[in-house]
Amino acid sequence: MRNWKDSKTFMDKNDLRSQSLDLLRFPLAVVVLVIHTFSTSGFKLQGVSISLADAPVLLEVNHFIDGFLRGQSVPIYFFISGFVFFWGVELTKEKYLQKLKNRVKTLLIPYVIWNTIFVLKAFFLHLPCFSSLFPNLHKVHFDFSLSAILETFWDNSKGILTMPASVDDAASAAIYPADVPLWFIRDLMIVILCTPILYRILNHTRCYFVWMLGGLWFALAYRDFGHAYQLLTAFFFFSWGAYMSVNKKDMMHEFSRFFKASLLLYPLLALLFVWSVHYFPNASDTIKRLNVVAGLFFAYNTSSWLLAHHVCKVSPFLASSSFFIYIAHALICGNCLKLLFSIFRPATDFGMLSIYISAVAATLAMLLLSFYLLRRYTPKLLKAITGRE
């Protein structure tokens, strides 16, 4: 039998693991906000294209953001979701149905609400009274039929508004709902429906199934599989986290073994990605996937180290606001960026960079303020739209 001292150590490890995951929630949400504000594709402002081609400093900053941040948060979210879903659980039929019922509240309802908000936003902005404010938007044909609206909840490019695909989208053929970040929620719900099958597979194959998914995730990086590749990302990282829970792997022990390696490899691979974009673009996708895996170890190890050495502690407010920031930021971040550009009209490279940074800060401040006000004055509404207590 485990003695009291061992039990205390075990509880301390559990507490540190839980707090490490909580500490990650807010910075991961901010990373997604930064990625969706900074973009190498530019945007249109009052009919004029704002391009980064003539802003080499800003373009290079974007490449560094791509190397260090892009694609990092969502795989970690999938991994944590898989780990938490199976932690301490023997997945019986009753437990599975109970978890499905809980995920309806925490995933499906917020997914429907926020995509509906985006559809309503498009509808109201398309009203004639807004034609002078959004002239470009009113040149586009919207289809507000029921079938188009429903399609928007799955693939916005074929829904109420058919958008021309960007170069990146054309290459990946990835699909997104109206509220773009919620592709994570959409695909997570698909994976969760398959958890009874995953549970049996992981029990019988142990790590080999995860290795197979990881091999496919790397091997198919240059193939055009569209949504199938998004699902592969979801199944790989969710199954990886699930494998550790199902087989009762100590995450702290397993990840800490690669602490020094992750501190070295994550920034090194990020810098290598930036170099490859300029000189060896054919290798950039492979380097990026290695960087994503290293980033998972780096993020959790850094979080655990900061807590264990009392450098920082979890802020309940910031941790609880993270999901709201994730699902709501796309509603305002683009408009905030365009508003700042229209007000200050930067003429220099560094001026444009300052506008992007200010847009991130302003968006984050507005979201945190909104979350605070909702939690204080309308907690039931906040609970409904986020699926959180």
Side-chain angles (χ1 to χ4, degrees):
M1 179 180 292
R2 187 189 296 116
N3 61 33
W4 179 86
K5 185 176 180 180
D6 289 336
S7 297
K8 184 176 185 297
T9 302
F10 180 75
M11 290 301 293
D12 287 344
K13 284 186 177 181
N14 274 334
D15 187 52
L16 181 57
R17 179 182 58 245
S18 177
Q19 287 193 51
S20 297
L21 297 179
D22 284 340
L23 185 62
L24 285 173
R25 290 164 62 186
F26 179 72
L28 288 177
V30 174
V31 164
V32 177
L33 166 60
V34 171
I35 290 300
H36 288 162
T37 302
F38 281 80
S39 173
T40 54
S41 61
F43 59 90
K44 279 192 174 183
L45 179 64
Q46 297 177 347
V48 179
S49 294
I50 306 296
S51 173
L52 304 190
D54 300 321
V57 173
L58 180 56
L59 187 61
E60 197 60 32
V61 169
N62 270 270
H63 288 149
F64 273 84
I65 289 175
D66 286 350
F68 281 88
L69 302 179
R70 189 175 297 277
Q72 301 291 153
S73 290
V74 171
I76 297 176
Y77 282 143
F78 280 127
F79 178 90
I80 293 174
S81 298
F83 183 86
V84 172
F85 189 90
F86 287 103
W87 181 249
V89 170
E90 189 74 26
L91 196 64
T92 62
K93 179 181 178 181
E94 292 73 19
K95 180 62 69 173
Y96 172 66
L97 292 175
Q98 178 187 343
K99 283 184 170 288
L100 279 186
K101 182 179 179 181
N102 179 260
R103 269 34 178 209
V104 168
K105 179 180 71 174
T106 60
L107 298 177
L108 179 59
I109 292 177
Y111 182 85
V112 171
I113 289 174
W114 284 95
N115 279 302
T116 300
I117 290 173
F118 273 73
V119 170
L120 291 174
K121 175 189 175 184
F123 175 78
F124 282 111
L125 292 182
H126 198 61
L127 293 175
C129 58
F130 293 112
S131 59
S132 59
L133 294 175
F134 306 100
N136 292 316
L137 187 63
H138 283 257
K139 296 177 182 178
V140 180
H141 174 70
F142 281 80
D143 179 6
F144 287 106
S145 66
L146 179 60
S147 60
I149 291 174
L150 293 176
E151 182 69 41
T152 297
F153 279 70
W154 182 264
D155 180 3
N156 191 42
S157 68
K158 297 178 181 177
I160 60 175
L161 171 62
T162 302
M163 296 291 292
S166 68
V167 174
D168 291 338
D169 289 340
S172 65
I175 64 173
Y176 304 95
D179 187 359
V180 171
L182 292 191
W183 78 267
F184 158 70
I185 303 297
R186 178 198 63 199
D187 290 359
L188 178 60
M189 290 189 290
I190 295 173
V191 176
I192 287 175
L193 289 175
C194 301
T195 48
I197 300 172
L198 282 177
Y199 184 67
R200 291 190 176 187
I201 292 174
L202 291 171
N203 267 319
H204 287 86
T205 65
R206 299 178 68 81
C207 65
Y208 299 109
F209 178 69
V210 178
W211 278 105
M212 182 196 73
L213 290 178
L216 287 172
W217 184 68
F218 275 99
L220 302 181
Y222 295 94
R223 301 287 184 176
D224 180 7
F225 285 100
H227 184 216
Y229 193 76
Q230 289 173 289
L231 284 174
L232 179 58
T233 301
F235 273 95
F236 168 44
F237 285 96
F238 185 94
S239 297
W240 186 1
Y243 157 75
M244 299 192 72
S245 278
V246 169
N247 292 280
K248 297 178 174 56
K249 296 286 184 179
D250 184 344
M251 184 189 291
M252 289 185 60
H253 172 71
E254 297 291 332
F255 276 45
S256 63
R257 291 161 50 197
F258 303 97
F259 179 73
K260 292 182 180 179
S262 66
L263 293 183
L264 175 65
L265 285 176
Y266 171 66
L268 181 62
L269 287 167
L271 292 173
L272 190 59
F273 172 84
V274 176
W275 172 84
S276 70
V277 168
H278 292 291
Y279 303 107
F280 198 20
N282 290 335
S284 61
D285 280 352
T286 298
I287 295 170
K288 186 59 195 175
R289 276 150 186 77
L290 290 170
N291 180 231
V292 168
V293 173
L296 171 59
F297 286 89
F298 175 85
Y300 185 76
N301 282 329
T302 302
S303 175
S304 299
W305 187 91
L306 291 173
L307 289 170
H309 290 78
H310 307 288
V311 177
C312 65
K313 60 181 181 179
V314 176
S315 165
F317 174 76
L318 293 181
S320 59
S321 70
S322 58
F323 188 66
F324 177 77
I325 292 171
Y326 181 84
I327 60 178
H329 74 271
L331 191 66
I332 61 174
C333 67
N335 293 331
C336 183
L337 179 64
K338 292 180 181 181
L339 178 62
L340 290 175
F341 260 92
S342 65
I343 293 174
F344 295 102
R345 299 186 179 278
T348 66
D349 203 345
F350 286 97
M352 292 178 67
L353 177 60
S354 67
I355 291 297
Y356 273 86
I357 295 172
S358 299
V360 171
T363 302
L364 182 59
M366 285 188 285
L367 290 170
L368 288 174
L369 177 60
S370 300
F371 179 80
Y372 171 78
L373 295 174
L374 286 168
R375 190 174 71 165
R376 180 167 184 176
Y377 297 108
T378 58
K380 291 184 178 179
L381 174 61
L382 180 63
K383 180 181 177 181
I385 64 177
T386 61
R388 269 62 178 168
E389 296 294 342

